[in-house]
Amino acid sequence: MTEAIRVLHVLGGVGLGGAESRIMDLYRQMNREEIQFDFLVHQNDTSVRKAQFYDEEIRQLGGRIYVLPKFKVYNYAAYRNAVQDFFASHHEFRVVQGHMTSTAGIYLPIAKRFGVPVTVAHSRNAGVDKGLKGIATKFFRRNLVEKADYCFACSRLAGTDVFGEEAVRSGKVKIIHNAIDVEKFRFDMVKRNEMRERLGLKGELVVGHVGRFNYQKNHPYLIDIFAKLCGIRQDVVLLLLGEGPDQEKIQEKCNVLGIGGKVKFLGNKKQPEDYYQAMDVFVLPSYYEGLPGVLVEAQAAGLKCFVSDTVTTEATATDLVTYFDIRKEPQVWAEAIAAAVPYERIVTEGIMKATGFDVAAQAAGYRMFYQKGDCSVL
């Protein structure tokens, strides 16, 4: 029997994030006798690693998880040495796909030098954090388009942000939209009623959001929108799925505004598709995104979506999405949300598949790429 092709995905971690979820969606679709995924993640202390959200599933699927020290600029030499040591010891990978583009300019050339046949820089986002971290990220991304065999991006906006406008315009960057398991998110009235009962919801208007509690997702503004909505109607509830460093600040803000009892902090969920069923509208006021998988998921669940106009319109597969300026008063968003309900929830499965957001079809293209280096079908 021919040994499976091993593909190494380089990430910050394998927690429940957008890029991680999309990679796992692909992984589940692979014939793992032919193609296997492994993961190279980053953390401060490489001697002791705390399990993350997808650890168990990765191992069950036959994948392996390796660790590098977290890059902090001042440890450039130590980081580079760790990368060299890793690839000097591991020659089994046919493809190294770097989703962590902040340091891809370091690890991809090293992987190539140690004999990896195919290297990929994959842009998953269209912005950086504020301050020195963002400045450093932009610096180390420079000329990345010249340091990888292939450059992928989840949207034109994400491609331009990481690789430059000329690289996208000239076709050096392959745009591959984030895809999901569409059937899992299909609207189901029975599941909706079951989830609302489980969450203690009856006739309330349920606003939903899925995202990590950090700067990018703009939770303070989301809470301001919801507070204004509470002023328009009393029967409203906000469901927040996700975890992150800013969660306590957001909880405190809710309490200060007197809406803490109306906001449910649900944490990370293994089956987020069930929670979309319970929602009535979905709100995503991010400062920046690549192509948000959660917006694709929300549309697949038939939800009306209210999204910041900083998010690429490439994520729009249906007429359920409305874009707003996050510089406007939160009242504007709140009034639009209140006016949008009730509405007839529709099944969008056919639309989502026809517009290329179904992972089963995308996985077939990836299999061809991993096996033959042909990305024309992606």
Side-chain angles (χ1 to χ4, degrees):
M1 176 184 280
T2 305
E3 191 172 344
I5 291 169
R6 300 205 79 95
V7 178
L8 182 69
H9 293 277
V10 186
L11 294 153
V14 287
L16 186 60
E20 296 86 345
S21 296
R22 301 292 75 82
I23 295 165
M24 292 304 295
D25 283 341
L26 278 174
Y27 194 9
R28 297 179 193 111
Q29 296 287 327
M30 293 293 146
N31 178 343
R32 289 178 293 280
E33 292 183 357
E34 296 179 354
I35 298 170
Q36 258 295 350
F37 286 3
D38 295 314
F39 298 81
L40 183 58
V41 301
H42 295 69
Q43 65 181 51
N44 289 323
D45 183 359
T46 58
S47 62
V48 180
R49 182 171 177 274
K50 184 178 179 181
Q52 294 184 294
F53 189 85
Y54 285 118
D55 272 38
E56 183 180 353
E57 183 178 4
I58 288 169
R59 292 195 172 101
Q60 287 177 347
L61 293 173
R64 300 175 296 206
I65 302 171
Y66 304 98
V67 182
L68 283 177
K70 198 169 185 178
F71 181 68
K72 298 182 177 179
V73 181
Y74 65 78
N75 68 341
Y76 174 84
Y79 180 79
R80 185 179 177 84
N81 288 338
V83 173
Q84 288 183 152
D85 290 344
F86 177 81
F87 285 108
S89 303
H90 292 276
H91 302 282
E92 66 268 36
F93 305 115
R94 173 176 169 74
V95 181
V96 173
Q97 192 164 346
H99 308 272
M100 189 175 176
T101 56
S102 56
T103 55
I106 301 173
Y107 61 75
L108 288 182
I110 292 174
K112 194 70 177 178
R113 193 166 73 245
F114 279 95
V116 173
V118 178
T119 61
V120 182
H122 197 147
S123 173
R124 294 283 188 173
N125 226 327
V128 296
D129 289 344
K130 295 187 296 183
L132 291 175
K133 183 178 179 181
I135 293 170
T137 295
K138 289 183 178 180
F139 177 80
F140 283 101
R141 279 177 176 171
R142 72 195 191 286
N143 301 323
L144 181 55
V145 70
E146 300 170 6
K147 298 177 180 178
D149 295 323
Y150 295 88
C151 295
F152 295 166
C154 61
S155 67
R156 291 186 66 85
L157 195 61
T160 299
D161 185 74
V162 173
F163 303 114
E165 188 174 339
E166 175 56 30
V168 174
R169 186 168 53 242
S170 66
K172 290 182 179 179
V173 180
K174 180 75 175 180
I175 307 302
I176 307 168
H177 292 158
N178 291 332
I180 66 169
D181 187 344
V182 169
E183 292 182 8
K184 283 202 315 186
F185 292 86
R186 188 179 192 273
F187 176 60
D188 182 333
M189 181 60 78
V190 173
K191 176 61 71 173
R192 171 179 167 82
N193 292 336
E194 176 188 312
M195 287 302 300
R196 286 177 73 97
E197 182 177 353
R198 185 191 306 179
L199 292 166
L201 303 169
K202 295 181 180 178
E204 294 94 339
L205 164 59
V206 179
V207 179
H209 173 86
V210 181
R212 179 171 166 78
F213 286 86
N214 62 7
Y215 166 78
Q216 175 187 347
K217 301 300 181 180
N218 200 11
H219 282 87
Y221 188 72
L222 171 62
I223 298 306
D224 288 336
I225 293 169
F226 183 69
K228 295 298 183 183
L229 184 59
C230 289
I232 296 173
R233 52 187 293 176
Q234 296 297 308
D235 61 335
V236 289
V237 172
L238 176 61
L239 303 185
L240 296 176
L241 275 70
E243 297 175 355
D246 294 343
Q247 183 171 337
E248 287 188 11
K249 293 179 182 178
I250 299 305
Q251 289 174 318
E252 182 179 349
K253 181 180 177 71
C254 291
N255 292 332
V256 169
L257 292 174
I259 58 173
K262 292 178 174 289
V263 183
K264 294 180 181 290
F265 291 83
L266 300 176
N268 289 334
K269 297 297 181 183
K270 288 190 175 181
Q271 294 178 293
E273 60 271 18
D274 291 347
Y275 292 84
Y276 286 100
Q277 302 295 329
M279 300 173 189
D280 293 303
V281 295
F282 183 81
V283 183
L284 187 71
S286 303
Y287 283 113
Y288 61 87
E289 295 280 354
L291 190 145
V294 293
L295 180 54
V296 178
E297 291 171 352
Q299 292 175 84
L303 285 168
K304 284 199 172 183
C305 305
F306 298 85
V307 184
S308 62
D309 61 5
T310 54
V311 174
T312 176
T313 57
E314 290 171 73
T316 303
T318 68
D319 60 3
L320 294 168
V321 184
T322 303
Y323 290 88
F324 284 98
D325 189 340
I326 53 175
R327 293 170 297 182
K328 289 188 178 294
E329 289 296 318
Q331 182 73 26
V332 175
W333 288 61
E335 290 175 357
I337 292 168
V341 291
Y343 63 95
E344 183 180 357
R345 194 87 165 257
I346 61 172
V347 173
T348 60
E349 181 181 345
I351 299 172
M352 303 305 294
K353 288 184 176 181
T355 48
F357 286 104
D358 185 46
V359 72
Q362 190 176 98
Y366 266 109
R367 286 194 291 270
M368 182 73 72
F369 173 67
Y370 293 142
Q371 291 171 331
K372 300 181 179 181
D374 180 5
C375 65
S376 62
V377 293
L378 281 169

